Amino acid sequence: MPDTTVFADVAHEPGVAKPDPILVADGVVRRFGGLTAVDVSHFEVQRHTITALIGPNGAGKSTFFNLLTGFDQAQEGAGTFDGTALRRMPPHKVARAGMVRTFQLTKALEGMSVMENMRLGAQHQPGESLLTAFAPPMWKKREAEVTERAEDLLQRFKLYEKRDESAGVLSGGQRKLLEMARALMASPTMVMLDEPMAGVNPALTESLLEHIVELKDEGMTVLFVEHDMHMVRRISDWVAVMAQGSIIAEGPASTVMQNPAVQDAYLGEHHDTDLSEDQS
Ligand SMILES: Nc1ncnc2c1ncn2[C@@H]1O[C@H](COP(=O)(O)OP(=O)(O)O)[C@@H](O)[C@H]1O
Ligand SMILES: [Mg+2]
């Protein structure tokens, strides 16, 4: 269930300041040739909440995720994560600082086993040092810890039976679960999920929603991109809307959909985003 109490005094305006932001983006611009894919003047994510980032196809959501997590570099502007400047920080350092994003399984990862995928997610954990990498006793201890954490997560995501199978044989929903489990191997404080429910059948959607809510219950902050407004309404404490590279609206799900600028942004959209009120 969304919890909007922390936002009680927060204006429903794009770029509005939050009481305790874990992530702040300022003047972030990314151009590809003549196209400005991202132009976010200011955006804050409140700590310990689930925030949805929505917007029509091509709005710049994935590019914005990449800029925040170090997988792409902005031409202008920068962000801070938990007080640490993100400018020019490579992805592994962003992950070590506590912010991870999920990735769709690529061909290369599909060829590896479920367990091997989990081990890859453990790289660049907080506290990992050169010493652990090179001193055999430390290395063994670390190996055992990684295995234990991976097994715990695989149990929790109901993938334990599949641990030795190639990730390529997993169903669409199981892949999404693996993507999330793998991200959690890095012990993050903030998780960025890009379309976690895409291509997942309704039965697994419920379980994915529950897993996302669990992340918040465990103290993590979640920022997720999702097209299905029904899902967004069910779990988001706060919603930010992106269109043509900028944040054009923010607020609780119930009010943000009523915003004329948001309705305009979705006009002419082909995918079946349903902005209507939904009481279920
Ligand atoms: N690597 C790239 N090179 C050129 N254009 C890109 C690249 N990545 C994204 N774009 C363009 O940037 C815009 C935003 O894309 P994207 O961030 O994927 O949007 P969304 O995730 O909201 O659908 C789109 O017009 C897209 O074609
Ligand atoms: Mg995208």
Side-chain angles (χ1 to χ4, degrees):
M1 277 293 283
D3 178 6
T4 53
T5 39
V6 70
F7 297 106
D9 296 325
V10 177
H12 300 174
E13 286 167 8
V16 67
K18 309 293 182 328
D20 181 18
I22 188 169
L23 179 68
V24 178
D26 221 25
V28 175
V29 177
R30 178 62 165 118
R31 297 182 204 90
F32 294 110
L35 173 90
T36 303
V38 169
D39 185 357
V40 170
S41 36
H42 195 81
F43 180 57
E44 299 187 0
V45 176
Q46 172 68 19
R47 191 186 307 272
H48 296 164
T49 60
I50 299 178
T51 300
L53 183 64
I54 67 167
N57 274 319
K61 305 178 296 293
S62 296
T63 306
F64 191 39
F65 264 33
N66 287 337
L67 295 172
L68 293 170
T69 47
F71 287 91
D72 189 14
Q73 296 298 324
Q75 277 108 355
E76 293 170 30
T80 54
F81 174 71
D82 222 355
T84 306
L86 292 172
R87 193 167 174 78
R88 307 222 176 278
M89 200 189 271
H92 69 272
K93 288 206 175 148
V94 177
R96 203 174 287 173
M99 180 164 59
V100 297
R101 60 159 300 174
T102 53
F103 271 103
Q104 295 195 343
L105 286 178
T106 58
K107 276 272 175 285
L109 294 174
E110 283 176 7
M112 295 168 57
S113 76
V114 167
M115 193 55 156
E116 285 166 335
N117 268 277
M118 294 295 282
R119 288 188 177 286
L120 274 183
Q123 286 179 327
H124 315 303
Q125 275 212 58
E128 189 183 344
S129 67
L130 283 176
L131 190 66
T132 11
F134 292 112
M138 298 285 278
W139 181 80
K140 280 211 170 125
K141 181 166 174 281
R142 166 99 173 106
E143 273 291 296
E145 282 167 4
V146 167
T147 304
E148 194 186 335
R149 182 164 176 80
E151 288 180 349
D152 285 351
L153 283 166
L154 290 176
Q155 298 270 16
R156 170 170 158 193
F157 285 83
K158 299 201 166 59
L159 291 169
Y160 189 73
E161 311 302 318
K162 306 270 178 197
R163 65 191 180 282
D164 297 322
E165 290 190 40
S166 137
V169 307
L170 299 180
S171 72
Q174 287 173 327
R175 282 166 191 243
K176 291 292 178 192
L177 291 169
L178 177 58
E179 287 163 19
M180 209 185 288
R182 189 177 54 190
L184 295 185
M185 284 299 289
S187 307
T189 46
M190 177 157 180
V191 186
M192 319 266 281
L193 307 165
D194 197 351
E195 305 195 23
M197 260 79 80
V200 175
N201 71 46
L204 260 173
T205 302
E206 278 309 308
S207 131
L208 271 164
L209 282 178
E210 282 163 23
H211 283 301
I212 296 173
V213 172
E214 264 171 35
L215 302 184
K216 183 175 82 164
D217 292 344
E218 288 176 9
M220 286 176 243
T221 305
V222 178
L223 180 66
F224 78 117
V225 170
E226 181 55 49
H227 283 299
D228 187 329
M229 294 312 303
H230 182 64
M231 303 303 153
V232 168
R233 277 189 205 94
R234 284 189 50 197
I235 60 168
S236 313
D237 305 314
W238 191 255
V239 179
V241 188
M242 218 173 162
Q244 298 183 339
S246 301
I247 306 287
I248 61 157
E250 286 192 51
S254 53
T255 64
V256 89
M257 313 303 178
Q258 313 296 317
N259 184 320
V262 175
Q263 299 189 346
D264 277 357
Y266 277 99
L267 270 184
E269 257 293 287
H270 289 295
H271 66 72
D272 55 349
T273 303
D274 173 14
L275 294 172
S276 62
E277 261 307 303
D278 185 332
Q279 307 300 335
S280 62

